[in-house]
Amino acid sequence: MNQCVISNIPTEFQVEKPVPEKEPERQDFFISLCRNYIKQNLEKGLTYAIVTFGCQMNVYDSERLKGVLERIGYTEAPEKEADLVIFNTCTVRENANQRLYGHLGQLKPRKKTNPHFMIGLCGCMMQEPEVVAKINTSYPFVDFLFGTFNLHRLPELLYARLQENKRMIEVLPEPKEHVEIRGAKRKYPFKSGVNIMYGCNNFCTYCIVPYVRGRERSRTPEDILQDVRELAEDGVTEIMLLGQNVNSYGTNFMEQSEIIDHEPEYGFPELLEAVCGIPGIMRVRFMTSHPKDLSEKLIRVIARNPKVCRHIHLPIQTGSTKLLQAMNRHYTKESYLELVEKIRAALPDVSLTTDIMVGFPGETEEDIDDTIDVVRRAAFDQAFTFIYSPRTGTPAAAMEQLPEDVVKARFQRLLDVVNEVAHRRCGRFEGTVKQLLVEEENDQIPGYVTGRTEENLLVHFPGEKSLIGQYIPVLLKESKGFYYIGEADGTENTLESE
Ligand code: 5AD
Ligand code: SF4
């Protein structure tokens, strides 16, 4: 599926200096060419917007693309006004695809009113040949398109598009080496994602990720720790370690041909502990864990490192052992619940969140009963519930699909329980004081700011903008089910006396 190569990049560029072959020199070279081109040809500067669909990986990729565009000289603007709109797409579920096509249709008329207006597409959807073919024929006004393996080539594609005035489509198969992009433009100056691995080897039967993001490749600890050190020096205090299955980190390092089939000497627990040891880092999060690979060693490391946030996202997908097998998940309802017990015994306050899918082929009412049983027994703090959607090329797409109305009714039945349990769980900290990292001004309640507990709970409380980026103790006064209203601990009198 990821073998699609459509490329019309000119091999010769009209430039004086030779084009560097190595990275990152090559990206830097094209960044400065784009920069010069825009300066010389466009009096007013250009603006951009990146619209991101999907997971944290995409969010972080978009931050890097923003960094590149800003180095070129673009400034960020709302999507409605921007001269360049890039969609970083997701293809995990069908509805995200439909949303993209809807969006594209709406943007077309802007080409008439703004002569500089450009549309770019990237992300997981672009690794699907059928999608690229459809864009190619039905959306000729898209200016450039690239996939998940060539993000670093944005400046080169953009330059070719600006200079040659022709649309650039480049989707590559999985490369041997991954080229990093430096200098992300972070939404929050105090927190950042860090990729620890790319791709996935699990081939859950419903999932398209292994096809569009390639095989699992771990980055070396040296590279990761260097990134974290640089981020810490730049004021970042909270790190989110990112991977499709962080618990198998280290079983397949990049540039190493053999895959280890046992726990590696330097695996995720070791990496996590090393990240905690970097000066300036106050909180470490990670995402996503696979229940089959979450080891007791990792639980011990979390327990002895207070910097690791007490929040584990542990997708279960379904509570039915029969369906888990059909999904190729390699665990059972019972083994999942045992794992939850072990986690809760070692980390009593931990927040556990999960992903659940409804409507997988072959599912019965009894299977949903099993899922509901696990939701209650595992007492999830939050569960992200999805209706299964068949993805072309995955084994489950070839199985007999269930009727939509049956799936919708089951989905609602599950959602009611998920909400009831999450509501109850959220209330467990009412009346206690928790350390918050203050993230932003609250856009609903004037004079309030919003912070996050290590358990990933949001708290809105009266406070000044100057608190953003700081860690402060806050009394969680009232649980609202999925968030809290709080009050800065011990500062009530100070606020009143002002
Ligand atoms: N249909 C619906 N949901 C899916 N997910 C992955 N693939 C599909 C699919 N084909 C969900 C899983 C996963 C989350 C990121 O998306 O629950 O954990
Ligand atoms: Fe998809 Fe399974 Fe890999 Fe997660 S672990 S990305 S659900 S194949």
Side-chain angles (χ1 to χ4, degrees), residues 92-93 206 317 355 357 386-389 391:
V92 164
R93 285 171 291 276
Y206 52 81
Q317 311 302 354
D355 292 341
M357 220 181 304
F386 306 106
I387 288 187
Y388 163 76
S389 63
R391 309 311 294 127

Side-chain angles (χ1 to χ4, degrees), residues 186 189-194 224-241 271-285 305-309 437 471:
R186 296 191 300 275
F190 46 85
K191 65 175 190 177
S192 176
V194 173
I224 297 166
L225 297 174
Q226 183 56 25
D227 279 2
V228 178
R229 266 184 233 110
E230 285 172 15
L231 287 165
E233 276 162 25
D234 199 29
V236 168
T237 61
E238 185 181 295
I239 292 289
M240 167 77 92
L241 301 174
L271 179 72
L272 189 61
E273 200 146 47
V275 171
C276 289
I278 291 179
I281 298 302
M282 309 280 285
R283 278 184 175 179
V284 187
R285 300 183 183 277
N305 280 284
K307 286 185 182 176
V308 182
C309 290
L437 169 55
Y471 291 84

Side-chain angles (χ1 to χ4, degrees), residues 147-206:
T148 55
F149 301 117
N150 53 346
L151 248 69
H152 61 286
R153 290 179 49 82
L154 168 65
E156 192 158 342
L157 295 170
L158 186 61
Y159 184 66
R161 172 67 189 84
L162 286 166
Q163 256 232 336
E164 304 254 322
N165 204 22
K166 54 176 176 176
R167 68 196 311 227
M168 305 305 294
I169 296 183
E170 185 187 69
V171 179
L172 304 179
E174 188 182 337
K176 286 205 181 65
E177 277 180 41
H178 186 93
V179 181
E180 296 291 340
I181 299 179
R182 311 233 131 241
K185 183 194 179 199
R186 296 191 300 275
K187 179 174 177 200
Y188 301 99
F190 46 85
K191 65 175 190 177
S192 176
V194 173
N195 286 113
I196 66 166
M197 61 217 289
Y198 299 101
C200 181
N201 279 354
N202 289 311
F203 289 94
C204 301
T205 54
Y206 52 81

Side-chain angles (χ1 to χ4, degrees), residues 58-304:
N58 268 15
V59 170
Y60 184 42
D61 282 348
S62 289
E63 291 194 346
R64 284 184 280 201
L65 295 176
K66 285 181 185 186
V68 166
L69 291 173
E70 303 242 335
R71 282 170 68 198
I72 288 174
Y74 279 88
T75 45
E76 198 167 2
E79 187 201 327
K80 284 200 182 82
E81 296 159 21
D83 298 304
L84 166 63
V85 179
I86 297 182
F87 292 99
N88 190 0
T89 62
C90 169
T91 188
V92 164
R93 285 171 291 276
E94 178 63 26
N95 53 3
N97 292 38
Q98 294 315 327
R99 273 167 66 201
L100 175 75
Y101 295 126
H103 247 90
L104 284 178
Q106 285 167 11
L107 287 185
K108 189 182 173 189
R110 277 169 61 183
K111 291 238 157 185
K112 290 213 176 88
T113 51
N114 178 355
H116 303 302
F117 186 60
M118 279 209 257
I119 303 171
L121 299 178
C122 64
C124 294
M125 245 177 104
M126 301 306 129
Q127 290 298 138
E128 292 181 271
E130 313 81 60
V131 171
V132 178
K134 183 165 173 169
I135 302 280
N136 210 11
T137 48
S138 309
Y139 299 87
F141 52 91
V142 168
D143 294 277
F144 60 91
L145 178 164
F146 54 101
T148 55
F149 301 117
N150 53 346
L151 248 69
H152 61 286
R153 290 179 49 82
L154 168 65
E156 192 158 342
L157 295 170
L158 186 61
Y159 184 66
R161 172 67 189 84
L162 286 166
Q163 256 232 336
E164 304 254 322
N165 204 22
K166 54 176 176 176
R167 68 196 311 227
M168 305 305 294
I169 296 183
E170 185 187 69
V171 179
L172 304 179
E174 188 182 337
K176 286 205 181 65
E177 277 180 41
H178 186 93
V179 181
E180 296 291 340
I181 299 179
R182 311 233 131 241
K185 183 194 179 199
R186 296 191 300 275
K187 179 174 177 200
Y188 301 99
F190 46 85
K191 65 175 190 177
S192 176
V194 173
N195 286 113
I196 66 166
M197 61 217 289
Y198 299 101
C200 181
N201 279 354
N202 289 311
F203 289 94
C204 301
T205 54
Y206 52 81
C207 187
I208 201 164
V209 169
Y211 305 92
V212 294
R213 289 265 178 186
R215 289 300 70 69
E216 186 179 298
R217 291 143 290 152
S218 297
R219 296 179 66 208
T220 64
E222 293 76 28
D223 283 355
I224 297 166
L225 297 174
Q226 183 56 25
D227 279 2
V228 178
R229 266 184 233 110
E230 285 172 15
L231 287 165
E233 276 162 25
D234 199 29
V236 168
T237 61
E238 185 181 295
I239 292 289
M240 167 77 92
L241 301 174
L242 293 170
Q244 298 296 345
N245 176 12
V246 293
N247 307 112
S248 70
Y249 173 79
T251 48
N252 184 14
F253 281 114
M254 288 189 191
E255 291 136 38
Q256 170 188 297
S257 49
E258 112 210 66
I259 302 179
I260 308 172
D261 64 357
H262 52 82
E263 240 182 63
E265 257 168 59
Y266 196 103
F268 187 61
E270 288 73 20
L271 179 72
L272 189 61
E273 200 146 47
V275 171
C276 289
I278 291 179
I281 298 302
M282 309 280 285
R283 278 184 175 179
V284 187
R285 300 183 183 277
F286 56 87
M287 189 169 260
T288 292
S289 290
H290 194 305
K292 79 176 166 60
D293 295 319
L294 198 154
S295 65
E296 293 192 16
K297 192 179 190 182
L298 178 66
I299 300 174
R300 284 197 301 274
V301 165
I302 300 174
R304 67 169 178 250

